[in-house]
Structure formats: C-alpha cells, structure tokens
Amino acid sequence: MAGDPSQILKKIGLKVTKNREQVLSILQGSTRPLNHQEIMEKLPKEESWDRVTIYRALSDLEEKNLLNSLHSTDRVTYFELKSDGNHVVSLAHGHLICNVCGKIECIDDPWNGMPSSKQLKGFTTESVEIVFRGKCRNCQ
C-alpha cells in the first residue's frame, strides 16, 4: 500500500512518532501478516527499539482502524494493514491458519463464497473476517 506514513498518521489524528512511522512502513511493505517479533526484526538495526513501545504503536494503529489483528493457535498476534487512512484496502482479506505451527497464509480469492450484493444491500460493513483453521502442507 502506498502512502507516506507520516501523512497517514496525521490524517487519522495520531501524533507522528518514529515508532509509528516505522511500524506502518514495515506493514506497508509486507505481503503477509507479521507478528511483533517479525516487526522488531525488520526495524533499522542502527537504532534501539523498545518492545513495549512497538506494541503500543501497533495497538494505536489498530485502534484507529488501520490494522487487522489475527490470533494464531500459539497465541501469537499477527498484524496487517486494512486501511490507508482513506480507504479500506483489505475488507475481505482471508487467511489460512495452521493449528499446528501457527503459520498464516493469505487467501488469494476471498470473494469466493461471499454474500451477494443483494444480501448486503442496506448493510454497512465495517469488518469482515475469513479464517480457515486446519493443518498446513508441512504439518499434515
């Protein structure tokens, strides 16, 4: 998702901090949901980062409706962008979650099997979760 992190933060009413900018930038560049540890590993190495502050940045972004959080079976929370500050970008983004290793994969065609536009008429959708839980190829 394109967009300057500092501009997005300003637009949604959050103070621009290096922590929020970095977290947002990392999630913008990711093609899959990331957990806190993965985000910490992608932060620039030349600076020191406080784990609690990064958790707080994720929480702030989720509270402002920019992020989806997904909970794997091993109690690890994964985060992905769902908005660019203006538009929802992954309203019906689906996932496969392995009950054994906790791996999360994105579903390429989340619209397959979704309600028709006629069924949704007059309904304002704020979030959609499509989650399939089972065993991944490696854990079968």
Side-chain angles (χ1 to χ4, degrees), residues 69-95:
S69 61
L70 305 154
H71 306 283
S72 70
T73 54
D74 55 359
R75 296 180 155 214
V76 175
T77 302
Y78 289 79
F79 300 91
E80 69 179 352
L81 288 174
K82 74 173 183 180
S83 173
D84 63 3
N86 290 317
H87 305 90
V88 174
V89 294
S90 64
L91 182 63
H93 189 86
H95 299 93

Side-chain angles (χ1 to χ4, degrees), residues 117-128:
S117 57
K118 182 179 177 182
Q119 290 171 302
L120 292 174
K121 188 173 183 172
F123 183 83
T124 302
T125 303
E126 295 176 359
S127 69
V128 174

Side-chain angles (χ1 to χ4, degrees), residues 37-117:
Q37 183 61 39
E38 292 170 322
I39 293 168
M40 291 292 296
E41 290 169 2
K42 292 180 181 294
L43 291 167
K45 304 295 183 234
E46 59 274 1
E47 296 185 48
S48 65
W49 302 93
D50 180 64
R51 295 180 61 81
V52 174
T53 305
I54 298 304
Y55 272 120
R56 199 171 302 126
L58 288 163
S59 177
D60 292 342
L61 294 170
E62 185 176 21
E63 189 175 293
K64 288 294 188 174
N65 219 19
L66 284 182
L67 303 183
N68 279 329
S69 61
L70 305 154
H71 306 283
S72 70
T73 54
D74 55 359
R75 296 180 155 214
V76 175
T77 302
Y78 289 79
F79 300 91
E80 69 179 352
L81 288 174
K82 74 173 183 180
S83 173
D84 63 3
N86 290 317
H87 305 90
V88 174
V89 294
S90 64
L91 182 63
H93 189 86
H95 299 93
L96 304 172
I97 300 177
C98 180
N99 289 330
V100 177
C101 69
K103 179 181 176 182
I104 297 178
E105 289 184 47
C106 296
I107 297 174
D108 293 331
D109 184 11
W111 293 107
N112 190 14
M114 292 296 294
S116 69
S117 57

